């Protein structure tokens, strides 16, 4: 099996986006669109996107990865992950022109790109699946609760923490101030634009986890969900699901396949973790 990498420039609302299509030597009808979230570059842990695309293409699955507006090499102003519908739609259009045998795509996203996929997927009947890694469901209250629950407890049983205390290298004043601030956020929450910035159809403010839940519920096709065990973003998502019966029911549906990757960090930054994610992705796509 051979794969060819084709660089592309395509239009989105009058601005130029940069993408790479990994064309596979096959007649596969489903391709994978990798949405790159957040301002980042293509080395280090985020080399994963390049290597994943090449791995899938060598297995006969066409892949496109691209920079949304305001990110990487693409033009335009930076946008939030919930404002990327036009970018994703333009990328799918370009992908299908470049690989005319395709009739459907799977959107693959990590963190805020996973959230962007959830916001978009139900609106486009060409999207027949999503691969979601550590979805971003940030709220100030949720983040504070997660940090208190998962970070501070781990710190208390950490050898380094106690070594700092007995070595007189621990800043009690700064740590106490930070802890009190987190407790306040965990109790009272917040109403900043980052967490309550959209209205639903009846004019009520909805938090990000609820907005994502409602979009997820509208998507009827298969989903692969991969959650890291050593990641506060994944911890916050798990906490949201744990306290929301509707989320629990959605993720318990037979269309959702879930992997809890206990040893992995947020970006699956080791070769072993990265290869495991690629294997899960490949096997899941073959089942579609």
């Amino acid at each position: 099996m051979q794969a060819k990498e084709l660089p592309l420039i395509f239009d989105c609302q009058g601005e130029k986006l940069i993408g790479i299509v990994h064309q596979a030597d096959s007649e596969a009808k489903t391709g994978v669109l990798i949405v790159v979230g957040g301002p980042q570059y293509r080395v280090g842990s985020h080399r994963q996107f390049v290597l994943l695309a090449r791995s899938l293409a060598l297995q006969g699955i066409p892949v496109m990865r691209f920079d949304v507006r305001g990110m990487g090499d693409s033009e335009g102003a930076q946008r939030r992950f919930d404002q990327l519908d036009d970018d994703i739609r333009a990328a799918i259009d370009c992908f299908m022109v470049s690989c005319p045998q395709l009739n459907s795509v799977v959107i693959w996203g990590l963190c805020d790109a996973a959230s962007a996929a959830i916001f978009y997927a139900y609106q486009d009947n060409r999207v027949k699946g999503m691969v979601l890694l550590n979805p971003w469901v940030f709220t100030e209250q949720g983040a504070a609760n997660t940090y208190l629950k998962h970070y501070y407890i781990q710190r208390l049983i950490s050898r380094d923490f106690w070594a700092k205390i007995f070595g007189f290298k621990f800043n009690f004043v700064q740590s106490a101030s930070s802890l009190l601030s987190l407790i306040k956020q965990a109790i009272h929450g917040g109403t900043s634009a980052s967490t309550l910035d959209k209205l639903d159809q009846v004019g009520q403010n909805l938090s990000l986890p609820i907005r994502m839940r409602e979009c997820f519920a509208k998507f009827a096709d298969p989903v692969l969900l991969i959650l890291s065990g050593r990641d506060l973003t994944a911890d916050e998502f798990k906490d949201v699901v744990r306290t929301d019966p509707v989320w629990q029911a959605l993720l318990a549906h037979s269309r959702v396949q879930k992997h809890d990757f206990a040893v992995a960090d947020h970006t699956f930054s080791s070769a072993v973790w990265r290869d495991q994610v690629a294997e899960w992705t490949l096997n899941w796509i073959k089942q579609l």
Side-chain angles (χ1 to χ4, degrees), residues 8-84:
L8 296 170
I9 300 175
F10 58 100
D11 181 83
C12 178
Q13 302 291 302
E15 294 173 310
K16 302 301 182 185
L17 274 60
I18 305 297
I20 300 286
V21 171
H22 300 254
Q23 295 177 321
D25 185 16
S26 74
E27 293 300 316
K29 302 301 182 184
T30 299
V32 175
L33 180 74
I34 300 177
V35 180
V36 179
Q40 53 194 246
Y41 51 98
R42 298 168 186 84
V43 296
S45 60
H46 290 291
R47 187 73 175 164
Q48 177 184 30
F49 305 128
V50 180
L51 297 176
L52 174 68
R54 290 173 177 171
S55 174
L56 293 177
L58 288 173
Q59 296 296 324
I61 300 171
V63 181
M64 178 175 176
R65 53 189 175 86
F66 75 106
D67 293 331
V68 300
R69 285 174 291 176
M71 300 291 183
D73 297 310
S74 293
E75 294 181 346
Q78 185 174 335
R79 287 163 171 77
R80 296 196 313 263
F81 60 89
D82 57 349
Q83 299 174 329
L84 300 181

Side-chain angles (χ1 to χ4, degrees), residues 66-227:
F66 75 106
D67 293 331
V68 300
R69 285 174 291 176
M71 300 291 183
D73 297 310
S74 293
E75 294 181 346
Q78 185 174 335
R79 287 163 171 77
R80 296 196 313 263
F81 60 89
D82 57 349
Q83 299 174 329
L84 300 181
D85 285 0
D86 291 332
D87 303 69
I88 296 174
R89 184 175 292 107
I92 294 175
D93 292 342
C94 178
F95 192 12
M96 289 193 154
V97 170
S98 302
C99 300
Q101 81 277 12
L102 296 181
N103 56 30
S104 63
V105 300
V106 166
I107 301 180
W108 192 104
L110 165 69
C111 192
D112 56 342
S115 302
I118 292 173
F119 279 120
Y120 176 81
Y122 74 92
Q123 305 175 65
D124 190 335
N125 59 16
R126 297 174 297 180
V127 180
K128 297 302 182 183
M130 293 189 290
V131 181
L132 309 174
L133 295 84
N134 301 329
W136 175 262
V137 289
F138 176 85
T139 64
E140 291 177 356
Q141 187 172 21
N145 276 314
T146 299
Y147 208 77
L148 287 169
K149 180 178 179 180
H150 298 280
Y151 175 77
Y152 274 97
I153 291 177
Q154 290 299 317
R155 286 285 285 164
L156 288 174
I157 62 175
S158 166
R159 175 182 293 182
D160 291 341
F161 172 76
W162 292 104
K164 282 186 177 181
I165 290 180
F166 291 117
F168 302 101
K169 297 178 181 179
F170 187 76
N171 190 326
F172 285 95
V173 174
Q174 181 180 356
S175 295
S177 175
S178 175
L179 178 59
L180 288 173
S181 177
L182 282 171
I183 292 173
K184 181 179 179 181
Q185 288 183 12
I187 294 173
H188 300 292
T191 56
S192 69
S194 65
T195 58
L196 298 175
D197 52 10
K198 276 194 173 183
L199 300 176
D200 69 358
Q201 293 180 348
V202 296
Q204 296 176 333
N205 283 321
L206 296 176
S207 69
L208 175 59
I210 302 301
R211 288 162 49 204
M212 283 179 55
R213 186 191 72 190
E214 296 307 300
C215 292
F216 189 94
K218 294 177 182 178
F219 185 69
D221 290 296
V223 174
L224 173 62
L225 176 64
I226 302 175
L227 298 175

Side-chain angles (χ1 to χ4, degrees), residues 45-46 48 110 134 228 231 264-270 273-274:
S45 60
H46 290 291
Q48 177 184 30
L110 165 69
N134 301 329
S228 298
D231 174 44
D265 60 17
H266 180 66
T267 56
F268 307 90
S269 57
S270 81
W273 304 338
R274 182 180 64 240

